[in-house]
Amino acid sequence: MSALTSLVGEGRYLDNEIIRQAVPTAIWETLAMTGVASALTALIGIPLGVLLFTSSPGGTAPNAVVHRVVGAVVNLGRSLPFLILMIAIIPFTRLVVGTSIGWQAAVVPLTVGAIPFYARLVETSLREVPGGKVEAVTMMGATRSEITRKVLLPEARSGLVAGLTTTVIALIGYTAMAGAVGGGGLGAVAMSYGYNRFESDVMIVCVALLVVIVTVVQVVGDLVARRLDRR
């Protein structure tokens, strides 16, 4: 770290034109990809995770057929390596955003790949809610939707945030892979200049920035999860 600091202090990195011009744009693209994909993942992943939990044996609305079908789809989505998934759904990506290149296009496979991952984390968090609380509100006449809205999700919110933090960090790693095949962001800059053109300065800066972004997300996520923890 001290060596990197001294190099930056000597102006070695700031004198690199690629770093001054391409890296700021790449940071924005990485944050945009991660932010949009994370929001969509949470929006779809939470209901999907709730469905997995409620339809499971012992859930609030057990349904073996629904649980098996949804579980199979989720497992299929989790089992596909991201690069293969990104290539496989190119026609769908073009249908949604009109192109398969750029950070906007990368959001589609990022979201599709992250939703099953987060849905399982949501299901796990809901399973950790004490059964006694669910039984208590059930005896009071609460409906299934009320149990989910007023008991399950509020009690599991710390775990939901922790799971989302893990998912966001995974998405940051996915954005680097997306950049290698035209998705933009820090991954694209690292591949185009740091690897293909052997500019080690660019590679070091991109890696360092990714580490900083991941660290910030982890710290903020842990802080929010601890504050929401009711235990």
Side-chain angles (χ1 to χ4, degrees):
M1 187 69 179
S2 59
L4 178 58
T5 303
S6 63
L7 288 173
V8 173
E10 293 170 4
R12 172 180 169 183
Y13 292 95
L14 296 180
D15 286 341
N16 190 311
E17 185 177 354
I18 299 301
I19 293 175
R20 287 188 287 106
Q21 295 185 359
V23 169
T25 300
I27 294 173
W28 154 248
E29 291 176 343
T30 296
L31 294 177
M33 280 188 283
T34 304
V36 175
S38 297
L40 293 174
T41 296
L43 186 64
I44 302 173
I46 291 177
L48 187 59
V50 170
L51 180 59
L52 280 170
F53 172 75
T54 56
S55 63
S56 65
T60 55
N63 189 312
V65 175
V66 172
H67 185 70
R68 288 173 184 171
V69 172
V70 176
V73 173
V74 168
N75 290 337
L76 176 62
R78 293 178 63 196
S79 64
L80 290 176
F82 177 70
L83 283 178
I84 294 177
L85 173 66
M86 188 173 185
I87 295 172
I89 66 171
I90 283 178
F92 177 69
T93 300
R94 287 175 177 163
L95 178 66
V96 174
V97 297
T99 180
S100 60
I101 299 176
W103 74 263
Q104 295 91 338
V107 167
V108 177
L110 285 170
T111 304
V112 172
I115 287 174
F117 179 77
Y118 185 51
R120 282 299 185 189
L121 295 179
V122 171
E123 181 189 18
T124 301
S125 297
L126 295 176
R127 289 188 184 281
E128 294 176 354
V129 175
K133 294 185 177 181
V134 176
E135 293 177 1
V137 295
T138 301
M139 294 178 62
M140 294 171 61
T143 64
R144 293 171 180 173
S145 62
E146 288 176 336
I147 293 173
T148 299
R149 291 184 291 104
K150 298 182 179 180
V151 179
L152 291 176
L153 291 177
E155 290 294 328
R157 58 185 183 178
S158 177
L160 296 178
V161 171
L164 184 59
T165 300
T166 301
T167 304
V168 172
I169 291 174
L171 280 170
I172 294 171
Y174 291 164
T175 64
M177 289 187 283
V181 288
L186 290 169
V189 174
M191 178 62 68
S192 299
Y193 299 98
Y195 179 75
N196 292 335
R197 300 188 184 183
F198 304 102
E199 295 195 31
S200 59
D201 291 0
V202 177
M203 180 67 76
I204 292 173
V205 168
C206 289
V207 171
L209 287 170
L210 287 171
V211 171
V212 170
I213 294 172
V214 167
T215 301
V216 171
V217 170
Q218 187 67 67
V219 169
V220 173
D222 289 345
L223 178 61
V224 174
R226 283 197 298 268
R227 292 198 173 187
L228 294 176
D229 194 350
R230 293 187 173 186
R231 291 173 296 179

